[in-house]
Amino acid sequence: MSTASGALKGLRILDLTHALAGPFCSQVLADHGADVIKVEPLEGDFFRRMGPFREDDQVRSYGGLFQACNRNKRSIAINLKHPEGQAVLRRLVQSADALVENYRAGVLNKLGLGYEALREIRPSLVYTSVRGFGDVVGGASPYMDWPAFDIVAQAMGGWMGITGEDAQHPVKVGGGAGDTVSGLFAAFGTMAALWHARATGQGQYVDVAMTDSILALSELVVSQFSYRGVSPMPVGNGIPGLAPFGTIAVKDGVIAIAAPHGPQFKLLCELIGMPELVDDPRFVDEAHRWENNQALIALIERFTRQHTKQELKALLGGKIPFSPIYTAGEIFEDPHFAARDMLPRVEQPGSAEPVAVPGVPVKLSATPGQVRHRAPMLGEHTREILQSLGMDATETERLIEAGAITAP
């Protein structure tokens, strides 16, 4: 049985997802106490085979990417193509509050496990899908059957068209933002639908498209074209109209500063020993500072190139919006992330030492979420879960022999 605590304790979520977007959605719910049962095929989520791996890990049950989006879950391995495997899933649905999946559109329908079939078993079930271009519920996209990865969502949703140094060199945002952003929207949508189900007993379909999720956060793209008919282009790390705002070269790397408004700009000039810049006609107000942005950055860098990131942190930190551009090593060393418990450690099967995973960013004062345990091994909880459904050991072994399920 699950021993989870947190604001979502008591919720049971069936997680029929793979890769990153779907697992990230269900992990958010698990972090806050939901009992998330990861339903994997007999060969496991393919993300288990993705690295990085520890050098001493001879087991290789899963690598760092899987660990980062599947903690706090239980795993059951079911062959959904097998009639008895399908029957096991239907039994799980009887006690589930929600189901999350990110198969290609129509795959689970063909197996008799789509929303319409499962709502007959559990009318209050919230059924969430996360796909590249959504499903028919939210509007049948002409691309609904197209496969998608993070880079596809970022390219079509608007981010890559405004990210980079210029229009000839579009750049995607680092990490899998096309997956994790849609995972966050899916978690929110699932909880909104669960709130409705709690009040009415009526479940529903939650349809999330990765590309839609990126567009929803492309406010610059939408507003510029809607208001002015302009398609914005990449402008590096700045925002059109604001200066200084972006990255600045320093003695040992790069920093980020944002001091475009009058009081901030005045304080920055005083801190770097150039108070005369405030009255310079080229920089007298926000419009002029943007118009002469390159000249302004060059002057600021005369000072910053003589100082290290840590020296500038001591000088500017807490006074104007500022941060060094951190490497991973510097993130692990910074006291902020330790104080906020943002790099908790969990067991890594096959390795002698625990590993760090990204922490829980939403801090609840009364019912805090937490990283309680590592990601599960494939089918680790199959017997435990089936026992909770009333199946005895003999029936479980029969299903294993039939190829409907597997368990370690």
Side-chain angles (χ1 to χ4, degrees), residues 38-45 48 57-63 66-67 70-77 347-351 373-383 385 406-408:
K38 185 173 179 67
V39 180
E40 300 187 64
L42 301 192
E43 67 275 13
D45 179 345
R48 288 181 175 273
D57 181 1
Q58 301 301 312
V59 178
R60 296 210 167 191
S61 293
Y62 51 77
F66 186 88
Q67 178 83 276
N70 286 287
R71 61 176 181 233
N72 290 338
K73 303 178 185 180
R74 298 191 288 167
S75 171
I76 182 171
E347 176 193 3
Q348 174 63 43
S351 179
H373 56 77
R374 60 166 172 78
M377 299 176 73
L378 176 61
E380 181 175 351
H381 305 94
T382 295
R383 290 185 170 87
I385 293 168
T406 190

Side-chain angles (χ1 to χ4, degrees), residues 4 25 85 137 144 171 175 178 194 219 229 239 282 296 331 368 370 401:
C25 163
V137 174
M144 190 173 72
V171 176
L194 284 169
E219 74 289 341
I239 293 180
R282 296 172 296 172
L296 177 58
I331 289 173
Q370 63 180 117
E401 292 177 6

Side-chain angles (χ1 to χ4, degrees), residues 296-315:
L296 177 58
I297 296 303
L299 288 168
I300 294 172
E301 288 186 346
R302 286 185 187 177
F303 176 84
T304 59
R305 286 181 182 277
Q306 301 176 45
H307 299 277
T308 66
K309 290 188 286 188
Q310 287 303 312
E311 290 170 346
L312 291 165
K313 181 180 179 182
L315 177 67

Side-chain angles (χ1 to χ4, degrees), residues 158-171:
W159 278 8
M160 286 185 68
I162 59 171
T163 305
E165 290 299 322
D166 54 51
Q168 285 69 48
H169 302 88
V171 176

Side-chain angles (χ1 to χ4, degrees), residues 1-61:
M1 295 294 291
S2 172
T3 57
S5 60
L8 302 184
K9 182 178 182 179
L11 282 180
R12 174 166 288 182
I13 313 294
L14 300 183
D15 175 4
L16 277 69
T17 69
H18 50 274
L20 181 54
F24 192 81
C25 163
S26 57
Q27 178 177 271
V28 170
L29 305 177
D31 285 349
H32 289 279
D35 176 21
V36 175
I37 298 175
K38 185 173 179 67
V39 180
E40 300 187 64
L42 301 192
E43 67 275 13
D45 179 345
F46 78 89
F47 231 45
R48 288 181 175 273
R49 301 186 290 277
M50 305 290 286
F53 293 97
R54 280 281 179 82
E55 289 186 7
D56 67 337
D57 181 1
Q58 301 301 312
V59 178
R60 296 210 167 191
S61 293

